Amino acid sequence: MTPEGTEERQPLLGPPNGRAPSGRRVFLAAFAAALGPLSFGFALGYSSPAIPSLRRASSPALRLDDAAASWFGAVVTLGAAAGGVLGGWLVDRAGRKLSLLLCTAPFVAGFAVITAAQKLWMLLGGRFLTGLACGIASLVAPVYISEIAYPAVRGLLGSCVQLMVVIGILLAYVAGWILEWRWLAVMGCVPPSLMLLLMCCMPETPRFLLTQHKFQEAMAALQFLWGAEQGWEEPAIGAEHQQLSGINAVMFYAETIFEEAKFKDSSLASVIVGVIQVLLTAVAALIMDRAGRRLLLVLSGVVMVCSSVTFGAYFKLTQDGPSNSSHVDFFVPVSMEPINASGGLAWLAVGSMCFFIAGFALGWGPIPWLLMSEIFPLHVKGVATGICVLTNWLMAFLVTKEFSSLMEVLRPYGAFWLTSTFCVFSVLFTLFCVPETKGKTLEQITAHFEGQ
């Protein structure tokens, strides 16, 4: 075993005599970094209210047809996949803080291009840029937060990444209820601009500074974040299950799904879904360090299995009626008035969708990002997390882009029953492959995977 490997299992940061950290600025730093996930949540949620608005655009050059709407929703995930690769390179070379600062540029530029769009390519180009920023933020923010947090609050702060994502999605839904797509894009520039201002005042992570042999800067960062007194020790130093659940397709096309379900007010239903996701993600954050990661992942997966099966059953019951065509065009809004069995079963659709979102928010939303930032050792963290983010966003693109085709081929009920199968696999994967990491230092987790 190399000296580097031995040193990496030692606690890089820890108080003498087992004293608990007393500083609270770590929460401010985590909030500043989590504005990146808030921005990418807004970018993800943007397509749900923007697509119906762009379908009604007065300019033919901007009006979205079925194919364009599909690309408008999905191209952000391609950008995010590229951002994952770029972020994996940046995080180890430029550092965690500078990487977060740099990702604000494509966020603001992307929304600015969308705001000024006169052609379809400008809309898609702006979405790609915001996706690039999403990929960087989704990689760097969890790493930054996990490295500044002490074990007692790492689950809480790490879960705030997903909490801010769903708050961003909800913000896009609510604002889209009031604003048309251009002004909604202007609003999208606000969170990354705020992150730029706040992160300028935050330190680099002590762990990254120590790997760069910057002892004094690391101790100053530790003093700022943890309120460490003089004498703190520093020993010598030498995700596809989440996307295959169908969650991104559900969130990108929430309004369209509810229209397909013939719910009277699809915009209101989307907002309700967003509120539930925020509330349950907040609950998950509060209980993460007590309940543990494995229990929440299993519970989350079971709820998602049941709810997606029920949602598929809703479509099966309504589309077997004599008035329903055997062909479903996912992007063409159907009558908003309930017909036949749909009227009496509309709340079954809403209820099962809400339970699906609640289940995802409780475990499979926040925990994969948290585990990604916990399990990789420092010397491979950039490359390894980059691969994870690339895989996650490529799967998100596949699911988002092809979900409409899947609805046509398998019918809506078949598509949701297929996602329930993947949710079953996620539960089995958790039971047999995922270790518990609550209450452990990052170095103890590394030692576990090295068989120590």
Side-chain angles (χ1 to χ4, degrees), residues 14-226:
N17 304 322
R19 286 183 291 149
S22 58
R24 292 295 177 262
R25 289 178 184 169
V26 64
F27 294 97
L28 177 61
F31 172 76
L35 287 173
L38 177 72
S39 302
F40 101 65
F42 190 93
L44 294 182
Y46 177 82
S47 63
S48 184
I51 286 176
S53 180
L54 284 165
R55 285 186 176 280
R56 302 187 296 268
S58 56
S59 171
L62 293 173
R63 197 174 301 136
L64 299 184
D65 57 17
D66 293 355
S70 175
W71 276 107
F72 186 82
V75 73
V76 68
T77 58
L78 281 182
V85 176
L86 178 59
W89 181 83
L90 276 175
V91 75
D92 281 337
R93 288 162 179 79
R96 284 60 161 148
K97 175 183 174 178
L98 183 56
S99 297
L100 284 172
L101 291 173
L102 290 175
C103 82
T104 61
F107 265 130
V108 174
F111 279 119
V113 170
I114 293 174
T115 302
Q118 300 298 322
K119 301 287 185 180
L120 176 61
W121 69 266
M122 295 181 71
L123 291 175
L124 298 181
R127 288 285 284 168
F128 183 86
L129 283 175
T130 58
L132 186 72
C134 287
I136 299 173
S138 65
L139 183 150
V140 182
V143 172
Y144 181 88
I145 292 172
S146 73
E147 290 187 3
I148 65 172
Y150 43 92
V153 297
R154 196 175 63 242
L156 170 65
L157 295 182
S159 299
C160 286
V161 171
Q162 181 67 13
L163 177 61
M164 294 297 270
V165 171
V166 297
I167 289 175
I169 292 173
L170 176 60
L171 185 62
Y173 285 174
V174 174
W177 213 2
I178 304 167
L179 303 174
E180 60 99 29
W181 62 273
R182 284 192 195 274
W183 284 107
L184 194 59
V186 171
M187 186 175 176
C189 297
V190 176
S193 300
L194 182 59
M195 181 176 75
L196 178 64
L197 294 175
L198 287 179
M199 280 304 301
C200 284
C201 304
M202 297 299 119
E204 179 57 88
T205 73
R207 280 186 170 86
F208 178 77
L209 291 171
L210 289 173
T211 62
Q212 303 300 303
H213 308 289
K214 298 179 179 179
F215 177 79
Q216 294 299 327
E217 292 180 37
M219 291 300 101
L222 191 62
Q223 174 75 34
F224 178 90
L225 294 166
W226 290 9

Side-chain angles (χ1 to χ4, degrees), residues 6 21 25 48 91 95 97 100 120 131 176 179 216 230 290 303 311 313 342 345 355 362 370 415 426 445:
T6 303
R25 289 178 184 169
S48 184
V91 75
K97 175 183 174 178
L100 284 172
L120 176 61
L179 303 174
Q216 294 299 327
Q230 187 173 3
R290 296 179 182 178
V303 172
F311 200 53
S342 302
L345 294 174
F355 273 106
L362 193 61
L370 174 61
S426 74
I445 296 169

